[in-house]
Amino acid sequence: MENQNPVFIPGPTNIPERLRKAMSVPTWDHRSPEFGRMFVPLLADLKRVFGTRHGEVAVFTASGTGGWETAITNTLSPGDKVLAGRYGMFSQRWIDLCQRHGIEVEVIDCEWGEGAPVEGYRRALAADTDHRIKAVLAVHNETATGVRSDIRAVRAAMDAESHPAMLFVDGVSSIGSMDFRMDDWGVDVAVSGSQKGFMLATGLAIVAVSPRAVDAMDEARLPRCYFDLRDMIAAGNKGSYPYTPAIGLIEGLRESVTMLLEEGLENVHARHHRIAEGVRRAVAAWGLEPCARRPELHSDTVTAIMVPQGYDSTELVNYANETYGVAFGIGLGQVAGRLFRIGHLGIMSDVTALSGIATAEMAMKDLGYPITLGSGVAAAQEFYRHERPAAQRKSA
Ligand SMILES: *Cc1c(COP(=O)(O)O)cnc(C)c1O
């Protein structure tokens, strides 16, 4: 359907006009000094977004999945063991990626709707007396269930057992939207992508690594070439690239990071929290439940909403798309058909969020859901009226 409606899938997110323009560039020489003058400060600014002063950042032409592969292949060897919680489709896919690389994964299965199993990690690490576990994997924001995990607590559990494993975190749907502190939380590899909080087209995997992860690279025996961070970091520090960069996307990333820093990261996080809270008020007014089990698990970038018994959320999402031209997220994996997701990250405002809430209401009403038309919209309106933005956004 041809329209100007925003999308409410939790990635790829809506692309602001300012970024569409920034990505539309004529060919220019990525071997020129001019590229370095753009790229070196961009890498420095990306470190601020990731919350690292000591780490290195690399930008690969890939999607987030390529970032997972970068994390694994640069730091581990065949037969190495990692510890991972499985609490949604994205944590599941990262586990699968490890296994396909010949990594042994100790999986802690959690109910979907729960977050990273901090206590489970602690117990597994305590039992690992000969330190076979080389890394702990956690998805900061499980996009499939709308659950945010406490990464600081994961690191504290690792430290409590004085375990030397590294901490790898998927921040694809959190970094640039929700508070993320790579150094403070003791994260060794953090992965993101261009199409979520950075509000760009898909095509860049952005990976940050701690000095410890850099040290692990020479010993790591998993095969890698395209994703070899050593080549990428060495080139990046000189303002260049080991191969041809996706220059339009990188120009977009330059502008995106400028937008985030102009707004101020704290304001960006507060805005996401405020918008998310309005969506949560709407869900409560509908009499529906989020998939996230407890308020402290609520994601500020995506809300996954359980549909009532006897309803099929995939049908709802398809219906909204065909009838109103608005995209919501379907349920993935074991929650397929049971929940739909409202993505509220990136270039979102109260007004945009209200249009998504209103559309979800219309679609549910059309399909006979037991909700009152306008109830969610009114609840969100009340919230947004009283919780005014901390800082007015600069126009996009
Ligand atoms: C989107 C996403 C990914 C990356 O998926 P790609 O499709 O490869 O970009 C990874 N993890 C999470 C949590 C995500 O939301």
Side-chain angles (χ1 to χ4, degrees), residues 45 72 94 101 146 149 168-169 193 201 249 281 337 346 364 395:
D45 285 346
I72 300 306
W94 203 5
H101 278 90
S149 288
F168 297 172
V169 177
L249 279 164
R281 301 284 172 110
M364 286 192 286
S395 63

Side-chain angles (χ1 to χ4, degrees), residues 10 63-66 68 90 139 141-143 170 172-173 195-196 202:
S63 74
T65 305
W68 287 339
F90 291 93
V139 174
N141 188 74
E142 183 40 93
T143 318
D170 173 335
V172 179
S173 62
Q195 82 272 28
K196 310 265 168 102
T202 313

Side-chain angles (χ1 to χ4, degrees), residues 42-283:
L42 169 59
L43 292 175
D45 285 346
L46 277 170
K47 289 182 191 175
R48 292 173 61 190
V49 178
F50 276 71
T52 184
R53 293 176 56 212
H54 308 300
E56 301 278 358
V57 177
V59 181
F60 290 93
T61 312
S63 74
T65 305
W68 287 339
E69 186 156 327
T70 301
I72 300 306
T73 56
N74 280 276
T75 54
L76 301 174
S77 299
D80 274 356
K81 185 171 171 180
V82 301
L83 177 65
R86 175 158 49 203
Y87 41 94
M89 201 60 196
F90 291 93
S91 42
Q92 157 60 26
R93 284 191 187 149
W94 203 5
I95 289 167
D96 175 57
L97 183 140
C98 290
Q99 290 168 336
R100 292 203 215 176
H101 278 90
I103 298 294
E104 184 188 334
V105 188
E106 182 172 339
V107 177
I108 302 176
D109 264 306
C110 313
E111 267 187 72
W112 289 26
E114 291 288 345
V118 174
E119 182 53 24
Y121 285 149
R122 195 197 57 72
R123 274 200 301 271
L125 294 170
D128 182 44
T129 47
D130 53 354
H131 294 167
R132 285 206 51 229
I133 295 170
K134 299 296 178 218
V136 174
L137 273 51
V139 174
H140 182 211
N141 188 74
E142 183 40 93
T143 318
T145 56
V147 166
R148 170 188 11 210
S149 288
D150 187 347
I151 301 302
R152 188 195 293 276
V154 174
R155 169 47 78 184
M158 297 169 69
D159 290 349
E161 297 304 328
S162 305
H163 197 288
M166 291 179 283
L167 176 57
F168 297 172
V169 177
D170 173 335
V172 179
S173 62
S174 61
I175 293 170
S177 312
M178 292 174 1
D179 194 20
F180 192 89
R181 304 179 187 211
M182 176 156 174
D183 287 0
D184 287 358
W185 298 347
V187 175
D188 292 294
V189 184
V191 175
S192 194
S194 50
Q195 82 272 28
K196 310 265 168 102
F198 291 100
M199 307 168 280
L200 297 167
T202 313
L204 299 177
I206 310 161
V207 181
V209 285
S210 72
R212 251 199 88 201
V214 171
D215 286 344
M217 287 176 195
D218 283 331
E219 288 211 352
R221 293 271 78 89
L222 277 177
R224 63 207 189 265
C225 169
Y226 188 81
F227 289 122
D228 200 319
L229 272 165
R230 293 169 301 184
D231 298 337
M232 192 55 102
I233 291 169
N237 287 336
K238 287 186 288 185
S240 75
Y241 238 77
Y243 41 79
T244 315
I247 208 152
L249 279 164
I250 289 174
E251 292 257 23
L253 187 61
R254 171 62 280 175
E255 195 66 16
S256 158
V257 171
T258 299
M259 282 175 72
L260 293 173
L261 296 178
E262 270 176 11
E263 184 177 352
L265 291 175
E266 279 184 19
N267 295 331
V268 171
H269 303 155
R271 172 169 56 84
H272 279 82
H273 180 71
R274 203 184 74 254
I275 289 170
E277 191 54 35
V279 173
R280 293 190 280 262
R281 301 284 172 110
V283 173

Side-chain angles (χ1 to χ4, degrees), residues 366-387:
D366 292 350
L367 294 177
Y369 281 57
I371 63 146
T372 305
L373 209 54
S375 59
V377 172
Q381 285 170 324
E382 273 309 324
F383 179 76
Y384 294 142
R385 276 184 343 112
H386 294 108
E387 288 282 316

